[in-house]
Amino acid sequence: MSETVDPKVEIEESCRPQCIRQLIEYEDCTKRIENDPAGEAHCTGQYLDFWRCIDLCVASKLFVRLK
């Protein structure tokens, strides 16, 4: 019996190039706050922007496959 594979993971990878700007912004943010002495800085906004871009890209491709 073959294992069911979630196509979303593959589609997310294919969407990454489309969301490279958001990924770079997130990575730049994490580098900036790496040594935050207070530990209060975060990159939540950039992280959510990246995943929103991925989700929008995936949605248009995933549901076609799930028919």
Side-chain angles (χ1 to χ4, degrees):
M1 190 180 260
S2 66
E3 236 180 271
T4 304
V5 178
D6 183 0
K8 184 175 182 266
V9 175
E10 179 185 318
I11 297 171
E12 283 177 348
E13 283 301 314
S14 74
C15 287
R16 286 179 77 97
Q18 183 176 320
C19 300
I20 195 70
R21 181 180 59 81
Q22 291 87 345
L23 178 59
I24 290 171
E25 288 175 5
Y26 173 66
E27 289 173 343
D28 288 347
C29 179
T30 59
K31 288 176 189 168
R32 276 195 311 274
I33 68 165
E34 240 173 30
N35 299 316
D36 175 31
E40 293 179 10
H42 59 83
C43 299
T44 304
Q46 292 83 353
Y47 179 80
L48 294 175
D49 288 345
F50 171 69
W51 281 106
R52 180 174 188 275
C53 178
I54 294 290
D55 286 345
L56 289 172
C57 174
V58 168
S60 65
K61 299 174 182 180
L62 180 64
F63 293 106
V64 173
R65 279 189 168 184
L66 296 178
K67 284 186 180 178

